[in-house]
């Protein structure tokens, strides 16, 4: 018995089936989970954040301060590793040359970047939330000098812990977008560090009204706080800090813009 020839419609359906979003996302998940360096980086990020929270908790002596913000102090340096991992997730394929095979298998480049961002973002969100909740608990247990640990039921505490974990995802996606734009690991990491850390300090020194819009300031003074920030002395030298949800929106816009530009360049440039 001879097999019936495949019609053009059936061939088209079979071809398109290989390029559905869930298939591409599964491929990206396999690539991500197969890299042991990614998991080691995430483990170091979480462990480092917890260690800093414990150290801050041991040395905290002001019970009237923002104890939640203190417990989340390890998030700030942890963001650097999150962003770098995002850069490497994209630029690693260019360095190894795997990007050509990936684009040959998935010629729809916007869908490829969307799947990569979805998978990586989900992993970073899970890692970020784990880091913040463990750090919050560890920082509270480390408190001495008769200071009572904060609880998640107190006003603003759960929101601060959860949004701080979200910042890992957003900074990681910002790094992923920069990796797609620049395609060179060292240059993309340099832009990430300069934009997130160095430029914020420079702008904070010369333009206080814009300092509150810088990523590192948003995480440290908008997302992870439970008490409004106040300035001692001249109000002219006091930056305007965004509200938690406004800060989260701005941080999300940074990541979205980087991914949008990276996606456009991915479509219009050769591999």
């Amino acid at each position: 018995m001879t097999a019936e020839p495949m019609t053009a419609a059936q061939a088209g359906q079979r071809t398109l089936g290989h390029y559905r979003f869930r298939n591409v996302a599964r491929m990206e998940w396999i690539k991500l989970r197969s890299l042991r360096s990614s998991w080691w980086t995430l483990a170091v990020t979480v462990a480092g954040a917890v260690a800093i929270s414990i150290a801050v908790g041991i040395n905290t002596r002001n019970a009237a301060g923002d104890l939640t913000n203190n417990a989340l102090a390890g998030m700030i340096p942890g963001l650097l590793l999150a962003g770098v991992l995002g850069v490497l997730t994209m630029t690693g394929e260019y360095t190894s040359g795997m990007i050509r095979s990936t684009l040959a298998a998935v010629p729809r480049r916007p869908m490829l970047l969307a799947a990569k961002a979805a998978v990586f973002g989900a992993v970073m969100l899970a890692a970020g939330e784990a880091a913040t909740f463990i750090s919050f608990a560890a920082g509270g247990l480390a408190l001495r000098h008769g200071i009572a640990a904060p609880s998640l039921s107190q006003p603003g505490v759960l929101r601060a812990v959860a949004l701080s974990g979200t910042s890992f995802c957003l900074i990681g996606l910002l790094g992923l977008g920069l990796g797609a734009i620049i395609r060179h690991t060292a240059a993309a990491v340099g832009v990430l560090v300069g934009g997130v850390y160095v430029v914020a300090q420079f702008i904070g020194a010369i333009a206080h009204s814009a300092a509150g819009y810088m990523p590192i300031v948003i995480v440290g003074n908008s997302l992870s706080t439970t008490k409004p920030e106040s300035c001692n002395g001249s109000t002219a030298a006091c930056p305007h800090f965004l509200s938690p949800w406004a800060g989260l929106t701005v941080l999300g816009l940074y990541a979205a813009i980087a991914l949008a530009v990276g996606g456009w360049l991915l479509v219009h440039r050769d591999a």
Side-chain angles (χ1 to χ4, degrees), residues 167-202:
S167 67
F168 270 73
C169 170
L170 296 178
I171 295 297
L173 290 176
L174 175 61
L176 184 70
L178 290 175
I181 294 171
I182 300 173
R183 302 197 296 186
H184 187 274
T185 301
V189 170
V191 171
L192 174 74
V193 174
V196 174
Y197 289 87
V198 180
V199 173
Q201 301 299 325
F202 178 74

Side-chain angles (χ1 to χ4, degrees), residues 77-199:
L79 292 175
L80 175 59
L81 291 177
V84 169
L85 187 56
V87 169
L88 291 173
T89 300
M90 192 70 214
T91 60
E93 293 206 46
Y94 285 98
T95 302
S96 65
M98 187 184 293
I99 189 66
R100 295 183 180 87
S101 300
T102 300
L103 293 177
V106 188
R108 296 172 61 182
R109 299 186 179 193
M111 184 172 69
L112 171 64
L113 184 60
K116 192 180 290 290
V119 171
F120 177 76
V123 171
M124 290 309 301
L125 179 61
E129 295 299 342
T132 52
F133 277 93
I134 295 173
S135 295
F136 175 77
L141 291 174
L143 289 172
R144 299 291 184 269
H145 313 290
I147 300 176
S151 67
L152 293 175
S153 61
Q154 293 174 346
V157 173
L158 179 59
R159 182 264 305 155
V161 176
L163 293 191
S164 295
T166 305
S167 67
F168 270 73
C169 170
L170 296 178
I171 295 297
L173 290 176
L174 175 61
L176 184 70
L178 290 175
I181 294 171
I182 300 173
R183 302 197 296 186
H184 187 274
T185 301
V189 170
V191 171
L192 174 74
V193 174
V196 174
Y197 289 87
V198 180
V199 173

Side-chain angles (χ1 to χ4, degrees), residues 1 11 17 30 32-33 39-40 46 57 71 79 89 99 185 196-197 199-201 211 218 223 228 238 241 259 265:
M1 180 181 293
I30 292 173
L32 182 61
R33 77 181 184 186
W39 301 109
W40 277 111
V46 175
L79 292 175
T89 300
I99 189 66
T185 301
V196 174
Y197 289 87
V199 173
Q201 301 299 325
I218 289 174
L223 302 187
C238 181
F241 298 125
L259 288 171
L265 291 174

